[in-house]
Amino acid sequence: MSVELAEDYRPSEAEPFMNERQRRYFREKLHAWRDEILRESRETLEHLQDENQNHPDLVDRASSETDRAIELRARDRQRKLIAKIDAALSRIEDGSYGYCEETGEPISLRRLDARPIATLSIEAQERHERRERVYRDD
């Protein structure tokens, strides 16, 4: 049975956590985000192919190579983000979406709405970042 979402629907603390409506909301949000990233990636590839001309001027060539390196790094970040989106979609399907990987507690709906690929609650994320900072300073 498929649940329809109103155009202005937003998940609410007043409804059961990760009910069918919320799962559909986040599934649609993740798919839209993924589609947007893929569209941007296609545009980047087209741009890189168009830019693949031979620049006679050394400065133009260096500038083009720098732009290309930046775009390729951005594409790599996008590829990693798509993997995280796919993992979140898998968690929606297996029922673990929305729950902190560390504590098992529900992640706040506001956090999930802002960052639908979140796997940690705010508290667990802060602990994780503090531990990272301590180790990075060594």
Side-chain angles (χ1 to χ4, degrees), residues 26-40 81-82 84-85 88 112-118:
F26 287 112
R27 186 180 299 117
E28 288 179 5
K29 185 174 185 114
L30 288 159
H31 277 294
W33 192 12
R34 187 179 198 281
D35 292 345
E36 179 185 340
I37 292 168
L38 291 173
R39 181 186 49 74
E40 289 172 0
L81 186 53
I82 286 174
K84 289 179 180 181
I85 291 170
L112 287 171
D113 206 20
R115 185 141 179 90
I117 58 173

Side-chain angles (χ1 to χ4, degrees), residues 127-138:
R127 280 193 304 274
H128 177 73
E129 288 172 3
R130 277 194 301 275
R131 280 192 306 266
E132 246 181 23
R133 215 172 18 252
V134 167
Y135 292 124
R136 196 177 318 125
D137 291 342
D138 287 351

Side-chain angles (χ1 to χ4, degrees), residues 62-131:
S63 177
S64 180
E65 289 298 318
T66 300
D67 291 347
R68 188 178 184 88
I70 290 168
E71 287 193 31
L72 289 172
R73 272 198 307 275
R75 291 251 311 121
D76 189 50
R77 280 195 303 275
Q78 290 171 334
R79 181 185 54 78
K80 290 174 182 170
L81 186 53
I82 286 174
K84 289 179 180 181
I85 291 170
D86 288 343
L89 288 166
S90 293
R91 288 192 307 276
I92 288 174
E93 297 312 314
D94 73 19
S96 63
Y97 182 80
Y99 294 92
C100 179
E101 286 182 344
E102 195 172 287
T103 66
E105 294 295 313
I107 298 171
S108 79
L109 292 171
R110 286 182 48 208
R111 175 163 169 75
L112 287 171
D113 206 20
R115 185 141 179 90
I117 58 173
T119 58
L120 298 172
S121 66
I122 291 279
E123 298 78 13
Q125 182 69 39
E126 288 171 349
R127 280 193 304 274
H128 177 73
E129 288 172 3
R130 277 194 301 275
R131 280 192 306 266

